[in-house]
């Protein structure tokens, strides 16, 4: 019995010794293996292409000066994975904000405000508990000029003994005054790998 | 007496101030616009490198860089542009990662990148082979 316990302990120790150590990955120098699913490098590629194309097209430049106000609309996830589309839109928002051309409103959204505090803070109006000079006045919120919407699609194919997974990241930037799409872009991300790899 | 003492003190202060070490404001090594790692040189030659400023409707302009490579041998390429403002400080782009491309022998591939902000004044393009 004791011999068995010792052998088992030794086996566990040996296996844990062989395990790959956990390490940090530097996104600026990541040549690591590619997954069949969408990873951060795919979102970065799509966001880079979208932002560079938006800036180069001039679609996000307000000819009257100042910054355009953008709202993030629906980004549909039509893939087999559970994707938080904020992973994509946040990169785009941050980059457009840094460009000095666009600012995103968090006070409006399809499913309510992204930051509900904008409206909650206004509920303090007429409250005797709060110094009213610091409470937000009526008519100060800014309505959006542009809306960012899109879709992430996935298509799977068998290619010989391998499988091919295609992702399409489609984005539109709509001018809310006219309803016209000022900018549209599509980034295809195609991966080919073992049939045993899972893409969901 | 008092006036001459004050004058002497002022002169001394000026002399000492003039000797103070000025902060380093220039780069110690001149930055190359194009950096190609030797490991990838067997596979390609950079045949073109253009830069242009795209005029914007608000009066500003954006730096855009385009380069072409002539491919001698099938290879994978990783490339990245780092952006700098007129003081030489880096300007953040969307991501930090290298962009990847698969090159085929005989091909001439063109790549383009647009600066993330109108204050970008210069750049450094780095080409390397992914590990």
């Amino acid at each position: 019995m004791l011999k068995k316990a010792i052998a088992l302990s030794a086996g566990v120790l040996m296996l844990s010794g062989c395990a790959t150590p956990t390490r940090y990955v530097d996104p600026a120098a990541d040549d690591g293996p590619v997954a069949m699913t969408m990873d951060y490098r795919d979102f970065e590629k799509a966001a880079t292409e979208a932002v560079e194309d938006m800036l180069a097209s001039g679609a996000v430049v307000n000819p009257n000066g100042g910054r355009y106000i953008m709202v993030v609309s629906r980004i549909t996830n039509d893939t087999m994975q559970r994707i938080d589309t904020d992973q994509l839109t946040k990169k785009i928002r941050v980059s457009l904000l840094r460009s000095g051309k666009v600012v995103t409103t968090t006070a409006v959204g399809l499913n309510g405000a992204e930051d509900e505090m904008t409206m909650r803070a206004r509920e303090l109006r007429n409250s005797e508990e709060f110094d009213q000079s610091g409470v937000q006045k009526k008519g100060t919120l800014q309505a959006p000029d542009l809306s960012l919407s899109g879709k992430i699609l996935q298509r799977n194919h068998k290619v010989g003994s391998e499988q091919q997974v295609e992702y399409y990241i489609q984005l539109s930037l709509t001018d809310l005054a006219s309803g016209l799409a000022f900018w549209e872009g599509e980034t295809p991300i195609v991966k080919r790998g073992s049939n045993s790899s899972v893409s969901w | 007496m008092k006036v001459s003492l004050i004058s002497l003190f002022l002169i001394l202060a000026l002399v000492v101030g003039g000797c103070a070490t000025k902060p380093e404001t220039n780069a110690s090594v001149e930055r190359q616009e194009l950096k190609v790692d030797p490991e990838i040189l067997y596979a390609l030659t950079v045949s073109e490198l253009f830069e242009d400023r795209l005029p914007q409707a608000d009066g500003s302009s954006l730096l855009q860089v385009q380069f072409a490579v002539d491919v001698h041998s099938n290879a994978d390429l990783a490339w990245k542009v780092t952006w700098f403002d007129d003081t030489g400080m880096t300007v953040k782009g969307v991501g930090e990662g290298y962009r990847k491309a698969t090159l085929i022998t005989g091909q001439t591939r063109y790549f383009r990148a647009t600066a993330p902000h109108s204050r970008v004044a210069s750049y450094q393009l780095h080409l390397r082979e992914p590990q």
Side-chain angles (χ1 to χ4, degrees), chain B residues 10-61:
Chain B
L10 278 172
I11 289 165
L12 262 172
L14 279 170
V15 168
V16 170
C19 293
T21 314
K22 286 181 181 167
E24 191 72 39
T25 51
N26 293 321
S28 54
V29 178
E30 200 155 308
R31 191 190 307 123
Q32 296 170 275
E33 278 185 349
L34 174 63
K35 262 183 81 177
V36 185
D37 283 8
E39 292 78 24
I40 194 73
L41 277 174
Y42 77 94
L44 59 85
T45 308
V46 179
S47 52
E48 293 173 17
L49 176 58
F50 293 123
E51 62 175 88
D52 189 21
R53 290 205 78 93
L54 290 174
Q56 303 279 289
D58 59 357
S60 64
S61 66

Side-chain angles (χ1 to χ4, degrees), chain A residues 26-31 41 44-45 47-49 51-53 55-58 61-63 65-66 91-92 95 98-101, chain B residues 54 56-58 60 62 64 78 80 83 92-100 112-119 128-131:
Chain A
D26 181 357
D30 184 8
D31 287 335
R41 288 171 289 192
E44 190 171 296
K45 176 183 158 70
T48 303
E49 285 189 13
V51 170
E52 288 200 2
D53 202 34
L55 291 173
S57 71
V61 181
N62 189 342
K91 281 185 190 298
I92 295 173
S95 305
R98 279 202 207 121
S99 77
K101 309 284 185 201
Chain B
L54 290 174
Q56 303 279 289
D58 59 357
S60 64
L62 280 177
Q64 200 167 48
K80 179 181 178 177
W83 306 101
K92 267 194 160 186
V94 181
E96 293 180 286
Y98 280 75
R99 304 186 209 190
K100 309 274 169 60
R112 196 166 55 176
T114 306
H117 196 282
S118 53
R119 75 171 192 276
R128 67 176 185 89
E129 190 174 35
Q131 287 158 4

Side-chain angles (χ1 to χ4, degrees), chain A residues 24 27 31 41 72 76 104 106 124-125 141 150 152 157:
Chain A
Y24 285 108
D31 287 335
R41 288 171 289 192
V72 177
T76 307
T104 303
T106 57
L124 307 178
R125 253 178 235 145
L141 291 180
I152 306 174
H157 306 281

Side-chain angles (χ1 to χ4, degrees), chain B residues 93-126:
Chain B
V94 181
E96 293 180 286
Y98 280 75
R99 304 186 209 190
K100 309 274 169 60
T102 302
L103 307 174
I104 300 169
T105 310
Q107 220 183 9
T108 301
R109 286 283 296 269
Y110 297 87
F111 301 96
R112 196 166 55 176
T114 306
H117 196 282
S118 53
R119 75 171 192 276
V120 169
S122 59
Y123 64 93
Q124 183 177 67
L125 170 64
H126 183 207

Side-chain angles (χ1 to χ4, degrees), chain A residues 11-23:
Chain A
V12 167
L13 278 171
M14 274 171 70
L15 279 176
S16 62
C18 295
T20 312
T22 305
R23 57 215 186 271

